[in-house]
mmCIF file of all heavy atoms in Angstrom:
data_model
loop_
_atom_site.group_PDB
_atom_site.id
_atom_site.type_symbol
_atom_site.label_atom_id
_atom_site.label_comp_id
_atom_site.label_asym_id
_atom_site.label_seq_id
_atom_site.Cartn_x
_atom_site.Cartn_y
_atom_site.Cartn_z
ATOM 1 N N MET V 618 6.441 44.604 217.602
ATOM 2 C CA MET V 618 7.299 45.519 216.767
ATOM 3 C C MET V 618 7.438 45.015 215.372
ATOM 4 O O MET V 618 7.501 45.845 214.443
ATOM 5 C CB MET V 618 8.689 45.765 217.438
ATOM 6 C CG MET V 618 8.662 46.641 218.716
ATOM 7 S SD MET V 618 7.709 48.250 218.486
ATOM 8 C CE MET V 618 8.988 49.199 217.572
ATOM 9 N N GLU V 619 7.362 43.734 215.205
ATOM 10 C CA GLU V 619 7.393 43.170 213.842
ATOM 11 C C GLU V 619 6.172 43.561 213.085
ATOM 12 O O GLU V 619 6.226 43.932 211.884
ATOM 13 C CB GLU V 619 7.612 41.651 213.935
ATOM 14 C CG GLU V 619 8.142 41.011 212.682
ATOM 15 C CD GLU V 619 8.257 39.534 212.860
ATOM 16 O OE1 GLU V 619 8.908 39.080 213.818
ATOM 17 O OE2 GLU V 619 7.673 38.773 212.044
ATOM 18 N N GLU V 620 5.088 43.468 213.722
ATOM 19 C CA GLU V 620 3.820 43.871 213.109
ATOM 20 C C GLU V 620 3.774 45.305 212.762
ATOM 21 O O GLU V 620 3.341 45.776 211.638
ATOM 22 C CB GLU V 620 2.644 43.425 213.996
ATOM 23 C CG GLU V 620 1.335 43.485 213.270
ATOM 24 C CD GLU V 620 0.107 43.150 214.117
ATOM 25 O OE1 GLU V 620 0.350 42.768 215.326
ATOM 26 O OE2 GLU V 620 -1.026 43.219 213.589
ATOM 27 N N PHE V 621 4.266 46.139 213.693
ATOM 28 C CA PHE V 621 4.406 47.561 213.428
ATOM 29 C C PHE V 621 5.285 47.837 212.216
ATOM 30 O O PHE V 621 4.862 48.591 211.303
ATOM 31 C CB PHE V 621 5.071 48.226 214.692
ATOM 32 C CG PHE V 621 5.336 49.709 214.595
ATOM 33 C CD1 PHE V 621 4.327 50.581 214.214
ATOM 34 C CD2 PHE V 621 6.588 50.201 214.895
ATOM 35 C CE1 PHE V 621 4.591 52.001 214.068
ATOM 36 C CE2 PHE V 621 6.824 51.580 214.817
ATOM 37 C CZ PHE V 621 5.861 52.460 214.401
ATOM 38 N N LYS V 622 6.398 47.169 212.137
ATOM 39 C CA LYS V 622 7.284 47.380 210.944
ATOM 40 C C LYS V 622 6.713 46.850 209.665
ATOM 41 O O LYS V 622 6.858 47.439 208.579
ATOM 42 C CB LYS V 622 8.669 46.688 211.183
ATOM 43 C CG LYS V 622 9.504 47.268 212.331
ATOM 44 C CD LYS V 622 10.080 48.622 211.914
ATOM 45 C CE LYS V 622 10.616 49.437 213.003
ATOM 46 N NZ LYS V 622 11.985 48.994 213.547
ATOM 47 N N PHE V 623 5.910 45.828 209.739
ATOM 48 C CA PHE V 623 5.179 45.268 208.580
ATOM 49 C C PHE V 623 4.246 46.393 207.982
ATOM 50 O O PHE V 623 4.268 46.615 206.832
ATOM 51 C CB PHE V 623 4.412 44.054 209.017
ATOM 52 C CG PHE V 623 3.489 43.520 207.880
ATOM 53 C CD1 PHE V 623 4.072 42.642 206.913
ATOM 54 C CD2 PHE V 623 2.162 43.855 207.811
ATOM 55 C CE1 PHE V 623 3.225 42.180 205.908
ATOM 56 C CE2 PHE V 623 1.319 43.373 206.747
ATOM 57 C CZ PHE V 623 1.898 42.556 205.825
ATOM 58 N N TYR V 624 3.429 46.994 208.805
ATOM 59 C CA TYR V 624 2.503 47.999 208.332
ATOM 60 C C TYR V 624 3.253 49.311 207.858
ATOM 61 O O TYR V 624 2.799 49.909 206.963
ATOM 62 C CB TYR V 624 1.383 48.300 209.315
ATOM 63 C CG TYR V 624 0.390 47.166 209.405
ATOM 64 C CD1 TYR V 624 0.361 46.285 210.493
ATOM 65 C CD2 TYR V 624 -0.483 46.940 208.342
ATOM 66 C CE1 TYR V 624 -0.467 45.197 210.521
ATOM 67 C CE2 TYR V 624 -1.340 45.893 208.353
ATOM 68 C CZ TYR V 624 -1.383 44.972 209.496
ATOM 69 O OH TYR V 624 -2.267 43.958 209.475
ATOM 70 N N LEU V 625 4.352 49.567 208.544
ATOM 71 C CA LEU V 625 5.142 50.742 208.056
ATOM 72 C C LEU V 625 5.645 50.542 206.654
ATOM 73 O O LEU V 625 5.651 51.412 205.820
ATOM 74 C CB LEU V 625 6.302 51.029 208.982
ATOM 75 C CG LEU V 625 5.938 51.574 210.434
ATOM 76 C CD1 LEU V 625 7.246 51.867 211.118
ATOM 77 C CD2 LEU V 625 5.127 52.890 210.281
ATOM 78 N N LYS V 626 5.973 49.281 206.328
ATOM 79 C CA LYS V 626 6.443 49.002 205.016
ATOM 80 C C LYS V 626 5.317 48.906 204.039
ATOM 81 O O LYS V 626 5.337 49.553 202.981
ATOM 82 C CB LYS V 626 7.229 47.692 205.068
ATOM 83 C CG LYS V 626 7.752 47.141 203.744
ATOM 84 C CD LYS V 626 8.826 46.066 203.969
ATOM 85 C CE LYS V 626 9.383 45.574 202.657
ATOM 86 N NZ LYS V 626 8.600 44.543 202.031
ATOM 87 N N GLU V 627 4.313 48.075 204.313
ATOM 88 C CA GLU V 627 3.256 47.740 203.369
ATOM 89 C C GLU V 627 2.226 48.822 203.213
ATOM 90 O O GLU V 627 1.636 48.898 202.133
ATOM 91 C CB GLU V 627 2.560 46.418 203.781
ATOM 92 C CG GLU V 627 3.535 45.242 203.848
ATOM 93 C CD GLU V 627 4.041 44.884 202.446
ATOM 94 O OE1 GLU V 627 3.291 45.033 201.468
ATOM 95 O OE2 GLU V 627 5.204 44.382 202.382
ATOM 96 N N PHE V 628 1.967 49.643 204.230
ATOM 97 C CA PHE V 628 0.882 50.596 204.170
ATOM 98 C C PHE V 628 1.441 52.059 204.051
ATOM 99 O O PHE V 628 0.977 52.857 203.314
ATOM 100 C CB PHE V 628 -0.003 50.459 205.350
ATOM 101 C CG PHE V 628 -1.287 51.275 205.310
ATOM 102 C CD1 PHE V 628 -2.232 51.010 204.260
ATOM 103 C CD2 PHE V 628 -1.546 52.366 206.148
ATOM 104 C CE1 PHE V 628 -3.403 51.738 204.197
ATOM 105 C CE2 PHE V 628 -2.687 53.109 206.056
ATOM 106 C CZ PHE V 628 -3.665 52.772 205.090
ATOM 107 N N VAL V 629 2.480 52.262 204.838
ATOM 108 C CA VAL V 629 3.035 53.654 204.864
ATOM 109 C C VAL V 629 4.078 53.874 203.715
ATOM 110 O O VAL V 629 4.207 54.990 203.270
ATOM 111 C CB VAL V 629 3.668 53.956 206.244
ATOM 112 C CG1 VAL V 629 4.390 55.327 206.294
ATOM 113 C CG2 VAL V 629 2.750 53.818 207.387
ATOM 114 N N GLY V 630 4.725 52.751 203.312
ATOM 115 C CA GLY V 630 5.740 52.872 202.232
ATOM 116 C C GLY V 630 7.148 53.140 202.769
ATOM 117 O O GLY V 630 7.962 53.593 202.043
ATOM 118 N N ARG V 631 7.453 52.761 203.998
ATOM 119 C CA ARG V 631 8.757 52.882 204.535
ATOM 120 C C ARG V 631 9.669 51.723 204.029
ATOM 121 O O ARG V 631 9.107 50.688 203.806
ATOM 122 C CB ARG V 631 8.800 52.928 206.106
ATOM 123 C CG ARG V 631 7.902 54.045 206.642
ATOM 124 C CD ARG V 631 8.263 54.245 208.122
ATOM 125 N NE ARG V 631 9.464 54.992 208.229
ATOM 126 C CZ ARG V 631 9.542 56.336 208.369
ATOM 127 N NH1 ARG V 631 8.402 57.013 208.453
ATOM 128 N NH2 ARG V 631 10.687 56.929 208.407
#
Side-chain angles (χ1 to χ4, degrees):
M618 287 309 284
E619 199 180 305
E620 198 180 353
F621 177 52
K622 293 288 165 75
F623 173 84
Y624 286 106
L625 289 183
K626 178 164 181 276
E627 299 294 327
F628 190 65
V629 177
R631 301 197 80 95

